Every structure is written in structure tokens, then in C-alpha cells.
């Protein structure tokens, strides 16, 4: 039967024939181009894959195996022929932008490599999950081992752990390796395992100021950098025993609902009776805030013992600087010539504000040498039994021979009285030099 070219039947048959031909042509084109596309796609990640298996022949088996991923965390699966498999994965840690990484398994199940592909986690915190120490931890595992978390980077390492677990599920199923998929991740190694006097708090930027000190009990106002901001506290120390009596948080700069676990009554109670040799465990989930509290505790204990708050100096508290560079603007110093013993020795009567009141002293200066000969305290306006420690003979002897280029250590427990004496000494030296 001859069909009319204008009939619906003819047009339908023609359209069907054209579709079949186009489909055939597309199939042929796809057959030719698919391997090329796949090869090009593999080439874009090959450099990364070779970080785990240098020089290996890789095959992209993602399409064959991705259906086994129930988590949605696996991005790609690549076979290193004769060696093992590499999984590319993604996760979200503390930084909401997330990160990508890869992990490899040898055919026998040993972790062959682990590294970040792209990450913007916070330096010193989440970023530690992609640094050498944690990389060594991961590469010491097998596909049967639970992934340990990282203290101080719990959110990021938890995301890493979930991604690796997703890869393990696929790999172990392929290789017929039995393991417990529900095994809990190993707990992170706790911080705070060193005595307060041995921990490194250099990154906490601790400040400390003596509020009161009656010779038995001292109160210090301290600040220390935590996770997001600065935390502040009053630390009360039994000076005679070198023990903390109480810590009271006065300002909290970290994450509410997270870091404040380290400032709870039960967490702070751990410091009661603690000395510089005490080990205070970090608060789980609030390691950075906990560290800031330990830093303030250590600074207070060191200060009460007459040591550098950082613990790096075994001697007296250091002065703020040399006599000529220290800021004495708050001491309201007055210094005038009292007598001129000879052409070189000048005697000055000076006064300076201390902790509670004004202290006065007679200061003799060798004008030719620009050095102090002696200091004698005439009037003491601070707390008896506390500030007068700075006026003891041994403390005043520190000034003998001092010039404006000298740094005079503060007196432990009497820092403000000590500063008033330094202020008067500096004023007398400056006057003698004019």
C-alpha cells in the first residue's frame, strides 16, 4: 500500500524512522565519546589520587558502587589497579562551608592515605584534622578500626569520621571484610593532662592584675583568650599554701551552650585546692574555654608565688620595662631636689601614688653616673602587711646602681607599691639628668 505523503500515517512513520536513526547515531556517538569524557574526568582528579598511589593506573568505579552509599557523603570511588581504592568525600565541620577530602584503602584493608582536597577550617582548631599528627593517626588504622576523634577539633573530626565510615562500608563489602559498623569512635585524647605549671598557655594571651593581697589571701583579675573571644575571671589564691581557693567567671566570650560548660559550678570546683602541680582535666566539648580557665589559674598561682605569670621565669615578677620606658602616668609622681651633697650627689624628695594611698621616699642619685645611690622610704600609704613587702631592705637594695636603662623586678604580692617606688626612682633619675 502506497501512503499519501500528506497523510498522518506517512508523517508518523517518517518521524519514527528519523527518531530511530537519531537514537542510533547518538548511541554510536556516546559509545565513542563516553570513554573520552570518563578519561578526561579521571584526569582532573588523577593528580590528587596519586598522592595516595603514585604512578598507579586508576579506574573510576563510582557509577558501579555509589548506590551502596547510604550517607550521601561519598563523591567518588576510584580503583588503583592491583593496589586498592581511593574514596573522595565531603563533610561539614565547624565551618559551614564544609570541606572535601579523600581516604585510601589497600586491598588488605590498611589505610593507605588520608588528606584534605579543599578545606577552610579554623587554623589551630578544625584545621588540625588535616595536619600531620592526625593524618598519622588515620593512616595507622585499618578498614576495621573505629576512627578516633580529635580533642579541640571535635566537630571537624566527627565529620571526617562519618565520611571514612561511609567509605569503609563500601570497601569492606567489596572485599568481604567483616567489622563492627556500629563501633563507637575512639574518644579524643583529653587535654589538661599536664600539671598547670607545665602546660603551654602562650596562645591564650593571659593578663593578670592584683586586686588585693593581705599576705594570706590574694585576689587576681585575669583574662585569657578562649575559642571565639576572651574570658575573664577573679582567681582567689591562698598565698601561704599556694592553692586556689575559688575561681569566679566575670565575663564569658565564647559560644553560649558550648564553651560555658567549662564555667559551670562543677567544672570550676575542680580548681579548689589546686596548686601549680595539679592536673585539671579539660571539659569535654569545651576544650578551648577550659584551657583559658586553666591559663588564668596558672597565672594566678605563679604570680602569688612571686614568679612570672607565664611560668617561664623562675624569679620575681618582671617589671613592665626599664625605668626609663615604663609608663608611670597613673602614679602621679612628684620629685624635687632636697639637697646637693657635692657636685655629683643629689638628694630628691619624691612621692607617688601606690595601691591605697601615696608613698614617699628620699632618693639619692649620682648625677655624674646617672645611677641611684640609695632609696629610703619616708612615708608608707599602702596596706601594712602587704604593700610594705616592697619597702623591705632587700627590695630597696635592688635600686642601688640602677639607671634609666635598668629593669627592676616587681615585688610579689606588692606590685602596686613596688611600681610607686620605681616611679619615684625614674623621676629622680630623669631630674638628675636635666
Amino acid at each position: 500500500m502506497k501512503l499519501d505523503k500528506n497523510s498522518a500515517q506517512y508523517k508518523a512513520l517518517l518521524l519514527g524512522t528519523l527518531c530511530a536513526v537519531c537514537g542510533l547515531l547518538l548511541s554510536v556517538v556516546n559509545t565513542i565519546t563516553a570513554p573520552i569524557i570518563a578519561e578526561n574526568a579521571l584526569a582532573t582528579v588523577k593528580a590528587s589520587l596519586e598522592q595516595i598511589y603514585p604512578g598507579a593506573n586508576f579506574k573510576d568505579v563510582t557509577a558501579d558502587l555509589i548506590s551502596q552509599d547510604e550517607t550521601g557523603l561519598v563523591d567518588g570511588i576510584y580503583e588503583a589497579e592491583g593496589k586498592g581504592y581511593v574514596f573522595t568525600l565531603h563533610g561539614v565541620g565547624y565551618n559551614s562551608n564544609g570541606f572535601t577530602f579523600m581516604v585510601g584503602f589497600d586491598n588488605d584493608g590498611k589505610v593507605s592515605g588520608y588528606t584534605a582536597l579543599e578545606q577552610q577550617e579554623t587554623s589551630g582548631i578544625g584545621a588540625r584534622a588535616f595536619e600531620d599528627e592526625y593524618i598519622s593517626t588515620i593512616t595507622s588504622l585499618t578498614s576495621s578500626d573505629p576512627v578516633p576523634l580529635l580533642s579541640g577539633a571535635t566537630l571537624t573530626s566527627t565529620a571526617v569520621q562519618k565520611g571514612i565510615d561511609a567509605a569503609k562500608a563500601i570497601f569492606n563489602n567489596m572485599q568481604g571484610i567483616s567489622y563492627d559498623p556500629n563501633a563507637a569512635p575512639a574518644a579524643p585524647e583529653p587535654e589538661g593532662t599536664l600539671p598547670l605549671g607545665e602546660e603551654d598557655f602562650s596562645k591564650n594571651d593571659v593578663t593578670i592584675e592584683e586586686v588585693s593581697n593581705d599576705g594570706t589571701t590574694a585576689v587576681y583579675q585575669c583574662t585569657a583568650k578562649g575559642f571565639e573571644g576572651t574570658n575573664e575571671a577573679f582567681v582567689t589564691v591562698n598565698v601561704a599554701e599556694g592553692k586556689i581557693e575559688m575561681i569566679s567567671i566575670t565575663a564569658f566570650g565564647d559560644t553560649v551552650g558550648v564553651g560555658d560548660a567549662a564555667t559551670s559550678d562543677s567544672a570550676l570546683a575542680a580548681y579548689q585546692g589546686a596548686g601549680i602541680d595539679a592536673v585539671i582535666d579539660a571539659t569535654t566539648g569545651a576544650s578551648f574555654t577550659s584551657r583559658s580557665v586553666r591559663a588564668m589559674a596558672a597565672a594566678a598561682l605563679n604570680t602569688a608565688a612571686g614568679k612570672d605569670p607565664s611560668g617561664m621565669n623562675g624569679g620575681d615578677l618582671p617589671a613592665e620595662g626599664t625605668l626609663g620606658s615604663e609608663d608611670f602616668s597613673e602614679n602621679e609622681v612628684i620629685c624635687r631636689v632636697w639637697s646637693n651633697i657635692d657636685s655629683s650627689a643629689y638628694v630628691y624628695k619624691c612621692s607617688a601614688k601606690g595601691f591605697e594611698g601615696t608613698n614617699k621616699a628620699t632618693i639619692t642619685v649620682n648625677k655624674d653616673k646617672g645611677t641611684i645611690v640609695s632609696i629610703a622610704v619616708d612615708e608608707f600609704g599602702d596596706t601594712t602587711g602587704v604593700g610594705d613587702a616592697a619597702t623591705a631592705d632587700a627590695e630597696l637594695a635592688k635600686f642601688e646602681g640602677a639607671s634609666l636603662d635598668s629593669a627592676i623586678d616587681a615585688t610579689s604580692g606588692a606590685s602596686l607599691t613596688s611600681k610607686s617606688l620605681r616611679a619615684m626612682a625614674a623621676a629622680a633619675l630623669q631630674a638628675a639628668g636635666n
Side-chain angles (χ1 to χ4, degrees):
M1 182 180 69
K2 186 176 181 180
L3 294 176
D4 185 350
K5 292 183 179 181
N6 294 318
S7 67
Q9 291 89 342
Y10 179 85
K11 292 178 179 178
L13 179 62
L14 179 61
L15 180 61
T17 302
L18 288 173
C19 289
V21 171
C22 289
L24 179 61
L25 290 173
L26 286 173
S27 176
V28 171
V29 170
N30 184 64
T31 301
I32 296 172
T33 61
I36 298 174
I37 294 172
E39 184 177 347
N40 289 337
L42 182 60
T44 62
V45 296
K46 187 175 181 181
S48 296
L49 300 176
E50 286 191 333
Q51 293 181 54
I52 296 180
Y53 291 114
N57 292 320
F58 293 99
K59 179 181 179 182
D60 187 346
V61 293
T62 306
D64 299 330
L65 300 171
I66 196 68
S67 62
Q68 296 183 33
D69 176 32
E70 298 178 355
T71 66
L73 298 176
V74 179
D75 298 321
I77 309 170
Y78 305 89
E79 180 183 5
E81 294 180 3
K83 297 184 177 182
Y85 290 81
V86 179
F87 293 77
T88 58
L89 306 122
H90 67 271
V92 178
Y94 184 79
N95 189 318
S96 60
N97 292 328
F99 54 84
T100 57
F101 68 104
M102 62 182 179
V103 65
F105 299 100
D106 286 340
N107 286 327
D108 62 2
K110 185 182 184 302
V111 175
S112 53
Y114 159 71
T115 188
L117 293 173
E118 184 175 354
Q119 64 90 13
Q120 297 177 340
E121 296 297 286
T122 305
S123 177
I125 306 175
R128 292 172 51 227
F130 304 107
E131 294 175 355
D132 289 346
E133 183 176 357
Y134 194 61
I135 289 174
S136 296
T137 298
I138 299 300
T139 54
S140 68
L141 305 175
T142 71
S143 64
S144 299
D145 297 322
V147 177
L149 302 183
L150 179 61
S151 180
T154 307
L155 289 175
T156 304
S157 59
T158 296
V160 168
Q161 170 251 319
K162 290 180 178 179
I164 293 178
D165 280 355
K168 284 163 52 179
I170 298 174
F171 176 81
N172 287 337
N173 182 56
M174 280 194 301
Q175 303 297 88
I177 297 174
S178 62
Y179 77 112
D180 181 3
N182 298 315
E189 182 180 348
E191 290 190 355
T193 55
L194 293 175
L196 291 173
E198 295 180 22
E199 275 202 83
D200 179 6
F201 298 116
S202 58
K203 294 182 180 179
N204 291 97
D205 300 333
V206 185
T207 69
I208 184 166
E209 182 177 351
E210 186 178 86
V211 176
S212 64
N213 188 337
D214 61 8
T216 301
T217 302
V219 179
Y220 301 96
Q221 184 173 16
C222 307
T223 69
K225 184 178 179 182
F227 178 57
E228 291 186 311
T230 298
N231 301 307
E232 301 178 12
F234 282 121
V235 182
T236 304
V237 178
N238 184 313
V239 178
E241 296 181 3
K243 306 288 186 182
I244 291 175
E245 292 186 353
M246 180 177 66
I247 295 181
S248 175
I249 303 297
T250 55
F252 177 70
D254 286 338
T255 309
V256 175
V258 181
D260 49 4
T263 67
S264 66
D265 291 343
S266 59
L268 296 179
Y271 293 87
Q272 293 176 8
I276 199 67
D277 294 328
V279 174
I280 307 294
D281 290 336
T283 303
T284 302
S287 58
F288 282 86
T289 302
S290 179
R291 186 181 181 82
S292 74
V293 178
R294 296 198 306 276
M296 291 187 282
L301 288 166
N302 278 322
T303 302
K307 298 180 179 180
D308 182 342
S310 69
M312 300 302 292
N313 183 340
D316 292 328
L317 294 172
E320 296 296 324
T322 63
L323 291 174
S325 65
E326 205 173 344
D327 180 8
F328 299 115
S329 57
E330 295 181 354
N331 293 96
E332 301 175 6
V333 188
I334 298 174
C335 218
R336 58 187 177 85
V337 176
W338 178 253
S339 67
N340 180 0
I341 298 174
D342 55 38
S343 61
S344 62
Y346 280 65
V347 179
Y348 296 87
K349 290 289 186 179
C350 305
S351 66
K353 185 178 178 181
F355 176 59
E356 291 185 314
T358 299
N359 301 307
K360 298 180 180 181
T362 298
I363 303 177
T364 303
V365 177
N366 184 316
K367 186 176 176 65
D368 292 339
K369 295 181 177 180
T371 58
I372 291 175
V373 177
S374 65
I375 293 182
V377 175
D378 301 324
E379 292 185 24
F380 176 69
D382 286 338
T383 309
T384 301
V386 182
D388 52 3
T391 67
D393 291 344
E395 293 299 307
L396 296 178
K398 295 177 180 179
F399 291 88
E400 294 177 6
S403 69
L404 286 172
D405 293 328
S406 300
I408 307 298
D409 291 337
T411 305
S412 176
S415 57
L416 294 180
T417 300
S418 180
K419 187 173 183 179
S420 73
L421 292 172
R422 297 199 303 277
M424 291 186 280
L429 287 166
Q430 288 167 346
N434 294 329

